[in-house]
Amino acid sequence: MFDLRAEAQVVAQSSMIAWEKLSGATVLITGVTGLIGSACARVLLERNRADGRDIRVLGLARSAERACEALADYSEEDGLTIIEGDLLGTAIGDSHPDFIIHSACPTASRFFAEHPVETADAIVLGTRRMLELAKTSSAKGFVYVSSMEVYGDGNNAAGLDRLLTEGDVGYVNPTVVRSCYPEGKRMAEQYCAAYASEYGVPATIVRLAQTFGPGIPKNDSRLFALCARRAMAGEDIVLKTTGASTRMYLYTADAVTALLAVLLEGEPGRAYNAANPSTYSSVKGMADMVAALFPEKNVQVRCEIDPSAPYPPEHHLPLDVSALEDLGWQPTKDLPQMYANLIQYLED
């Protein structure tokens, strides 16, 4: 059985984080039922338990019931308050957060394709609302959880022989329906830069590589989860693309330390790549690695290309993480370790 709380306790002792800046602070986390939001909440609440930092965590969630389930080990005595509502219609009240971790966002490709308007609204309008809250609250820090998908597929589709820095953003076709996600992320990043420039809001951006680990929904439909579940069941892994796209990955706990490092030490208006360079792999290479974890089950990886599948075009995303490393951050889990922990969690 994988212990999410025990992992949070380890992260809560990380020397990469300037914990003293959070003493007595109120931290609003949007999307607190999601993988990233719930992981951030657990770490902050465990830091409270470890040394009495008196951090107040406000968790915004569309379902208070789901939020309480995701954070069942914690209560108001630990510093947790759940606010039920969505990004666009909820009154935050007189909370005046000192810091905001804005992680709320749709994550499923199929949802992007079927609900592009709702996806774009949640990303763009939701981010502007949180930035406005940061402005009126005179927040000390704001970090937006962005995505490697902002890099698009134009200048890197043929493959790169160098790492992508934060300025190497490529082409996205705005008339493709699924572009609601990467284009929305780009506009949200623009709002972060604009609020930092015009209003002095200390808004920062973290562009996460594909992030996963224990804590995902057990029925998660994204490819990394499907690969794990099918291999565990002894079933072949079927890819709907060529699997030629290459990318980096990031363990959930490492994403938390990256977000906290940028929240507390990042330069306003700036974006930071967050990834583990050792994980760089093609999609098929990752699937082959997962299949090899179960040699006794003879799992095969097959490509059955479906042009209508709601996946991004072929892309190659070797991210340069030196800006984040300059803040003292380092990843801790490689791809085999990420899958080992994920599989242990899924077996529970």
Side-chain angles (χ1 to χ4, degrees):
M1 181 175 183
F2 192 90
D3 191 335
L4 291 172
R5 182 182 168 193
E7 180 169 77
Q9 290 171 345
V10 173
V11 180
Q13 298 304 315
S14 173
S15 60
M16 292 184 277
I17 309 305
W19 295 108
E20 68 279 359
K21 294 186 177 183
L22 290 171
S23 292
T26 296
V27 182
L28 172 65
I29 303 175
T30 70
V32 78
T33 57
L35 178 66
I36 302 300
S38 61
C40 287
R42 279 192 292 271
V43 168
L44 294 177
L45 294 167
E46 288 297 340
R47 187 68 187 186
N48 271 353
R49 287 178 170 178
D51 69 355
R53 285 286 172 186
D54 192 28
I55 303 167
R56 184 185 178 203
V57 175
L58 306 179
L60 177 62
R62 285 178 294 175
S63 167
E65 181 179 0
R66 283 186 56 208
C68 290
E69 290 174 358
L71 299 170
D73 291 328
Y74 308 98
S75 67
E76 290 189 6
E77 292 183 358
D78 299 304
L80 175 64
T81 300
I82 299 297
I83 302 171
E84 185 172 59
D86 60 34
L87 289 172
L88 301 180
T90 302
I92 305 298
D94 298 325
S95 56
H96 298 295
D98 300 296
F99 296 93
I100 298 175
I101 300 173
H102 179 31
S103 70
C105 183
T107 57
S109 283
R110 189 165 299 280
F111 185 89
F112 307 157
E114 294 175 354
H115 303 282
V117 174
E118 290 80 2
T119 298
D121 282 352
I123 295 172
V124 179
L125 302 182
T127 300
R128 183 172 183 189
R129 184 158 189 261
M130 290 301 105
L131 285 163
E132 193 64 25
L133 176 63
K135 175 189 168 188
T136 58
S137 300
S138 299
K140 300 174 184 176
F142 179 105
V143 64
Y144 174 59
V145 181
S146 191
S147 166
M148 64 181 181
E149 287 207 32
V150 301
Y151 286 102
D153 58 279
N155 66 359
N156 54 20
L160 287 172
D161 58 1
R162 63 179 180 83
L163 299 176
L164 287 168
T165 68
E166 288 81 358
D168 290 322
V169 177
Y171 174 73
V172 173
N173 185 345
T175 64
V176 172
V177 170
R178 195 197 173 281
S179 294
C180 61
Y181 182 76
E183 288 282 63
K185 287 287 188 181
R186 287 182 173 194
M187 191 63 223
E189 288 193 11
Q190 167 56 215
Y191 266 126
C192 289
Y195 267 75
S197 175
E198 186 169 349
Y199 302 122
V201 174
T204 55
I205 302 153
V206 174
R207 293 175 183 160
L208 295 180
Q210 181 148 61
T211 300
F212 67 85
I216 66 169
K218 296 291 181 75
N219 62 348
D220 195 304
S221 62
R222 285 172 291 179
L223 181 62
F224 64 81
L226 291 173
C227 287
R229 290 201 303 271
R230 291 187 73 89
M232 292 167 65
E235 301 172 353
D236 288 353
I237 297 172
V238 181
L239 304 180
K240 297 300 183 180
T241 68
T242 63
S245 290
T246 56
R247 61 179 66 157
M248 292 178 182
Y249 297 86
L250 187 65
Y251 189 58
T252 309
D254 290 333
V256 173
T257 55
L259 289 166
L260 292 176
V262 173
L263 176 72
L264 300 174
E265 303 287 349
E267 179 183 335
R270 182 170 183 177
Y272 295 82
N273 290 331
N276 185 338
S278 75
T279 66
Y280 191 54
S281 170
S282 69
V283 171
K284 187 175 184 303
M286 180 199 68
D288 287 336
M289 186 216 74
V290 177
L293 296 175
F294 300 89
E296 74 285 359
K297 296 186 178 182
N298 194 31
V299 175
Q300 303 297 309
V301 178
R302 307 197 314 272
C303 294
E304 297 180 359
I305 299 174
D306 179 2
S308 66
Y311 298 117
E314 182 179 326
H315 53 270
H316 303 277
L317 299 174
L319 302 181
D320 184 335
V321 298
S322 59
L324 184 55
E325 290 175 335
D326 287 345
L327 299 182
W329 178 86
Q330 289 290 329
T332 64
K333 296 288 187 296
D334 61 18
L335 202 53
Q337 292 171 313
M338 290 169 63
Y339 265 104
N341 286 358
L342 177 62
I343 289 167
Q344 183 183 348
Y345 167 78
L346 292 175
E347 286 175 337
D348 293 345

